[in-house]
Amino acid sequence: MHILVINPGSTSTKIAVYQDATPIMLRTIRHTVEELAQFDEVTDQYDFRRKLVIDELKRMDIDYLFEAVIGRGGLAKPVSGGVYEINEKMLDDTRQAIHKHACDLGCIMAYEIARMIPGCRAFIADPGVVDELSPLARICGSPLMHRICIWHALNQRAIGRRYAQEIGRRYEDLNLIICHMGGGISIAAHEKGRAIDANNALDGEGPFSPERAGSLPAADLIRLCFSGQFTEKELLKRIAGQAGLIAHLGTNDMKEIESRIARGDKHAELVVDAMIYQVAKNIASEGAVLCGNIDAILLTGGLVRSDYLVSRLRERISFLAPIHCYPGEDEMQALALNALDVLHHRREAKVYE
C-alpha cells in the first residue's frame, strides 16, 4: 500500500510517502512570513500550498500510485476520535468553520489530490476538534457559552499508544496526562482511551505558549475589546499568533530565549518560568480530573527538546506520576498508520455527517 501524507502547519507543509508503515520520502516545505503575508485568510493559501506539494512530488519523481491520501484534519465541527473518509459535507464545514488554522488545508488537499488518482481514497484522522469531554468539563461559569477543546489530538493519541506499547499495555487501559508543547500547548486527561478533559489550545484557554495567550483575565479582556485601541482582527491575533512568548520577548524561538537567559536576561527568565509554572499548574489540575489515578505523564512536542523547560517542569509535577518525554511530534507516522489500518480492514473509516 502506498500512502501520501499531507500535514500543513502554520509556517510549513510536511509531506510524506509511505509504503505500508515504512516512510520512503519525508519533506518539510518551509513558508516565509513574507510568502504567507499576501493571503488574508488561511484558506486563501490553498492554491499556493497545493502547487508546492505537487511540484515537490514531481521533483522527487514520485508516481501517483497511491491507494490513499491522508491529511491532517481541520477545525470543522466536534467529532469523536478515529479515521474519517473525506466527503463534501466535511469540505463545506471546514471552509465555513469559525476557527481557522493551516491544518484545514490538509483535508482539502488530500481530497483534491485523491480525486486525481483512480481508486484512491481520502482520509483525515483525529483532527484537533476531537471532542470526548465529560459533561462536567463542558460547563463554565456563564450559560451564554460552554467549554470546547481544540487540541493536538492526533499527536497526543499517537504518543499515548506508543507509550502503552512500550510498557506492554493497551492505551485503552491506562489513565494518562499528556501535554503537547509546541507553538500552542494542549494538556489532556486520557481516561481509558478517551480524552475526558482538554483545553482550547488554539485561542483562549490553558497556559500561555510561544504563540498563544492562553487563559486571560476576562474583565480586562472585555474592557480591551471596547477600548477602541484594536480592531477585532487585531485582538484575535493578540490571542493567537502574536501572543505568549513572542508578545513578551519578540521571538518564539526557545533556543534564542535560552541563550538570552544564559547571558543574564532576567526578564526572559521570568517570562519563560511563568509559562512553565502555568503548564505545571494545568497538568496538576488534570490530576484532579483523574482523581489522582494517573499511570504516567507524557510530555511531547518541540519544546520538550529544551532541557531548561523540562527540568523545571519536572520539579513541579514529578510528585504526581512518572514522567516520560517524547520530543517532537509523531503526526506523519500516526496519519500513515491510521490510513493503513483502514486499507487493511483493521478499522472502519467513519462517515462524517
Side-chain angles (χ1 to χ4, degrees), residues 162-174:
R162 178 175 162 187
Y163 169 72
Q165 186 176 33
E166 288 173 357
I167 65 171
R169 302 275 301 278
R170 293 192 331 136
Y171 164 68
E172 291 79 9
D173 295 331
L174 297 173

Side-chain angles (χ1 to χ4, degrees), residues 7 13 28 150 158 223 282:
N7 184 355
T13 302
T28 299
I150 300 178
R223 294 186 188 100
N282 280 264

Side-chain angles (χ1 to χ4, degrees), residues 201-217:
L202 178 66
D203 61 0
E205 192 180 39
F208 71 84
S209 73
E211 299 174 3
R212 289 163 200 163
S215 299
L216 294 170

Side-chain angles (χ1 to χ4, degrees), residues 300-320:
T300 182
L303 290 184
V304 180
R305 296 189 179 97
S306 168
D307 291 337
Y308 181 98
L309 185 149
V310 171
S311 63
R312 283 157 178 76
L313 194 52
R314 282 184 181 276
E315 290 175 1
R316 293 189 176 275
I317 62 172
S318 59
F319 72 96
L320 289 166

Side-chain angles (χ1 to χ4, degrees), residues 7 14 155 159 180 300-302 305 326-332:
N7 184 355
K14 297 177 183 177
N155 188 46
I159 293 300
H180 179 109
T300 182
R305 296 189 179 97
Y326 298 87
E329 46 80 16
D330 217 6
E331 290 179 341
M332 303 302 279

Side-chain angles (χ1 to χ4, degrees), residues 216-232 235-236 239:
L216 294 170
D220 288 344
L221 181 59
I222 291 170
R223 294 186 188 100
L224 196 59
C225 289
F226 288 91
S227 68
Q229 298 179 50
F230 304 97
T231 65
E232 178 184 359
L235 272 178
L236 287 172
I239 298 295

Side-chain angles (χ1 to χ4, degrees), residues 70-267:
I70 186 164
R72 184 178 174 192
L75 305 180
K77 67 179 182 182
V79 294
S80 59
V83 184
Y84 288 82
E85 193 127 21
I86 302 172
N87 57 25
E88 292 288 346
K89 170 66 173 169
M90 183 187 296
L91 295 175
D92 289 343
D93 286 355
T94 298
R95 293 187 179 106
Q96 297 171 26
I98 295 173
H99 298 94
K100 301 293 184 184
H101 188 272
C103 61
D104 297 335
L105 301 173
C107 163
I108 303 170
M109 278 196 278
Y111 182 79
E112 294 297 337
I113 291 175
R115 289 179 64 189
M116 299 163 51
I117 307 164
C120 186
R121 300 173 71 182
F123 304 112
I124 64 165
D126 288 329
V129 287
V130 165
D131 185 343
E132 300 165 340
L133 298 184
S134 74
L136 294 174
R138 301 181 193 280
I139 306 296
C140 68
S142 170
L144 297 175
M145 60 196 81
H146 63 275
R147 288 189 65 234
I148 64 168
C149 57
I150 300 178
W151 57 299
H152 302 88
L154 178 65
N155 188 46
Q156 286 210 23
R157 285 190 182 282
I159 293 300
R161 292 190 179 101
R162 178 175 162 187
Y163 169 72
Q165 186 176 33
E166 288 173 357
I167 65 171
R169 302 275 301 278
R170 293 192 331 136
Y171 164 68
E172 291 79 9
D173 295 331
L174 297 173
N175 282 356
L176 304 169
I177 298 173
I178 307 181
C179 175
H180 179 109
M181 294 182 284
I185 296 175
S186 67
I187 302 167
H190 297 246
E191 183 180 60
K192 304 293 189 286
R194 287 182 60 243
I196 61 170
D197 193 90
N199 62 307
N200 175 357
L202 178 66
D203 61 0
E205 192 180 39
F208 71 84
S209 73
E211 299 174 3
R212 289 163 200 163
S215 299
L216 294 170
D220 288 344
L221 181 59
I222 291 170
R223 294 186 188 100
L224 196 59
C225 289
F226 288 91
S227 68
Q229 298 179 50
F230 304 97
T231 65
E232 178 184 359
K233 189 172 183 179
E234 288 169 339
L235 272 178
L236 287 172
K237 286 186 177 179
R238 297 298 179 105
I239 298 295
Q242 298 173 4
L245 295 184
I246 202 165
H248 282 284
L249 303 175
T251 181
N252 59 3
D253 186 333
M254 194 63 191
K255 286 185 178 179
E256 178 185 334
I257 295 170
E258 285 187 44
S259 178
R260 284 162 56 173
I261 293 172
R263 295 195 302 269
D265 187 331
K266 293 299 182 183
H267 178 62

